[in-house]
Amino acid sequence: MKFSLFVHMERLDASQDHRTLYEEFIKLCEVADKGGMHAIWTGEHHGMEFTIAPNPFITIADLARRTKTVRLGTGTVIAPFWHPIKLAGEAAMTDLICEGRLDIGIARGAYSFEYERLLPGLDAWSAGQRMRELIPAVKGIWAGDYAHDGEFFKFPATTSSPKPLQKPHPPIWVAARDPNSHEFAVSNGCNVQVTPLWQDDEEVRSLMGRFNDACAKDPEVPRPKIMLLRHTYVGSDEADIAQAAHEMSVYYNYFFAWFKNERPIRQGLIDRIPDEEIAANAMLSGEAMRRNNVVGAADEVIARIKSYEAMGYDEYSFWIDTGMTFERKKASLERFIADVMPAFAE
């Protein structure tokens, strides 16, 4: 079992300036690197203060100069917002900058808020189709002299300039949920990233089942890796853990507000959700967050992750975006590194 950090700049209101948020983001990444984590993942989003990440390649290029050994992954680029020639070139250049430490996570995207601004009329299905055309094309451009005549892209023979340092190319990870996306990833030799979001471990088992079914359908393809992404908090005591569960409850209420795309948005921020509305949402209550997510003392967290290791997951990614203060995020991450990771050392 390998461990990684999934992290972005984020804010729910305008009380923090972006410079401070970026400095805190860097400090969390430095903790992960110095603590021996395998990878750092950071993604792509547009026009949303909830997740501030306009181009992960720029961020990774900066992290490459601030970290030493940790791998640096896009978690994830949003496929429909990229032309394959542009993605191939930017990814290859970033792989050179970070000296072969790049992993590329790719997703179809989740927020209609972004779809309607960057590609009006796009829906999740067509975004997924674009991803399925994009990934083989990017591989072809890296190989060189690749021409493409598809539904979404048409271009004459093109070679990525530069080419990536890693051969034949950086590892590609596909964010998968439904069986078709698992099957696409496996059949195309891509690793898989999954998350149950707020749901319990039954969904974690179901996601692994879909991955195993996809592998069984393509037995000639070497088994790819699969990463589990979960909101995680290692607490110091019960009061600290209860506070973390409440903070995750607030976070997920805002997550679904962005996902539904029905509330007013001003200056990239959704209007504040009233406390009573959050308290009335039983599905996302603090109790549900404590029960479903990996939230607890170190021994509880170890037991949960051991169960995921037994299911067959290769990597566990600590999702730290929770709307908590920097100090609380850092303390939890440091406890995870000091008290949880050693239980998995070979």
Side-chain angles (χ1 to χ4, degrees):
M1 177 68 82
K2 291 184 167 126
F3 294 101
S4 57
L5 177 67
F6 189 88
V7 59
H8 302 85
M9 296 165 61
E10 56 164 344
R11 63 179 185 174
L12 300 181
D13 58 48
S15 62
Q16 288 180 289
D17 66 273
H18 290 119
R19 179 63 180 270
T20 300
L21 287 170
Y22 189 69
E23 290 171 352
E24 293 174 349
F25 165 85
I26 291 296
K27 288 175 184 176
L28 291 172
C29 292
E30 289 173 341
V31 169
D33 181 47
K34 291 172 185 175
M37 293 189 110
H38 168 70
I40 295 166
W41 297 94
T42 193
E44 174 186 8
H45 289 289
H46 300 280
M48 303 168 61
E49 294 287 311
F50 184 66
T51 309
I52 306 164
N55 187 325
F57 294 118
I58 294 174
T59 309
I60 287 171
D62 187 31
L63 287 174
R65 293 296 178 260
R66 297 173 183 261
T67 58
K68 294 187 184 211
T69 60
V70 70
R71 292 192 65 81
L72 302 167
T74 63
T76 55
V77 293
I78 303 176
F81 302 157
W82 289 84
H83 189 283
I85 296 174
K86 183 173 174 60
L87 180 56
E90 288 200 29
M93 189 70 201
T94 306
D95 196 43
L96 292 177
I97 291 169
C98 68
E99 300 178 326
R101 287 191 277 152
L102 181 68
D103 282 64
I104 302 172
I106 304 179
R108 71 182 186 184
Y111 294 112
S112 62
F113 173 87
E114 294 179 299
Y115 288 168
E116 67 190 17
R117 283 159 176 78
L118 276 79
L119 277 176
L122 186 71
D123 58 19
W125 169 257
S126 55
Q129 295 304 107
R130 283 176 175 268
M131 182 181 74
R132 285 162 170 75
E133 187 171 329
L134 177 82
I135 290 174
V138 168
K139 287 183 178 181
I141 295 163
W142 282 331
D145 295 326
Y146 174 81
H148 188 83
D149 184 11
E151 180 180 356
F152 302 107
F153 309 107
K154 299 180 190 297
F155 50 86
T158 304
T159 302
S160 177
S161 180
K163 288 196 174 188
L165 182 60
Q166 296 177 83
K167 303 302 178 189
H169 53 72
I172 298 175
W173 300 70
V174 171
R177 179 164 295 278
D178 62 86
N180 288 336
S181 55
H182 283 268
E183 290 169 13
F184 167 80
V186 171
S187 65
N188 282 272
C190 299
N191 299 321
V192 172
Q193 297 174 332
V194 298
T195 179
L197 295 172
W198 80 102
Q199 298 177 84
D200 64 14
D201 284 354
E202 188 56 42
E203 178 65 9
V204 177
R205 282 186 284 272
S206 178
L207 289 164
M208 178 54 79
R210 292 168 221 170
F211 175 73
N212 286 334
D213 288 346
C215 291
K217 284 190 175 182
D218 267 308
E220 72 284 357
V221 177
R223 182 186 184 275
K225 296 176 183 175
I226 180 168
M227 181 190 93
L228 175 64
L229 171 64
R230 294 227 71 170
H231 272 108
T232 308
Y233 189 84
V234 183
S236 58
D237 56 38
E238 276 303 321
D240 182 43
I241 292 166
Q243 182 179 345
H246 172 71
E247 289 163 329
M248 287 186 186
S249 171
V250 173
Y251 175 91
Y252 268 108
N253 273 271
Y254 278 92
F255 172 86
F256 278 104
W258 277 104
F259 186 78
K260 291 177 181 177
N261 195 24
E262 296 171 350
R263 292 178 181 268
I265 297 169
R266 298 175 181 85
Q267 294 294 308
L269 292 160
I270 280 185
D271 283 357
R272 263 303 210 195
I273 302 174
D275 291 344
E276 56 271 19
E277 185 175 334
I278 291 174
N281 190 341
M283 182 181 78
L284 302 177
S285 67
E287 292 79 9
M289 296 299 101
R290 174 78 164 86
R291 182 175 61 250
N292 293 352
N293 290 309
V294 182
V295 181
D299 58 345
E300 295 177 81
V301 173
I302 290 168
R304 288 288 289 278
I305 299 175
K306 287 281 188 185
S307 73
Y308 304 147
E309 185 178 44
M311 290 179 201
Y313 285 99
D314 302 294
E315 181 176 335
Y316 181 86
S317 197
F318 182 125
W319 191 353
I320 205 167
D321 304 336
T322 49
M324 296 178 187
T325 65
F326 164 71
E327 292 75 18
R328 286 179 55 70
K329 290 178 180 179
K330 182 172 178 284
S332 171
L333 179 59
E334 289 174 337
R335 286 189 288 265
F336 185 87
I337 290 169
D339 301 334
V340 174
M341 284 172 50
F344 296 83
E346 293 181 355

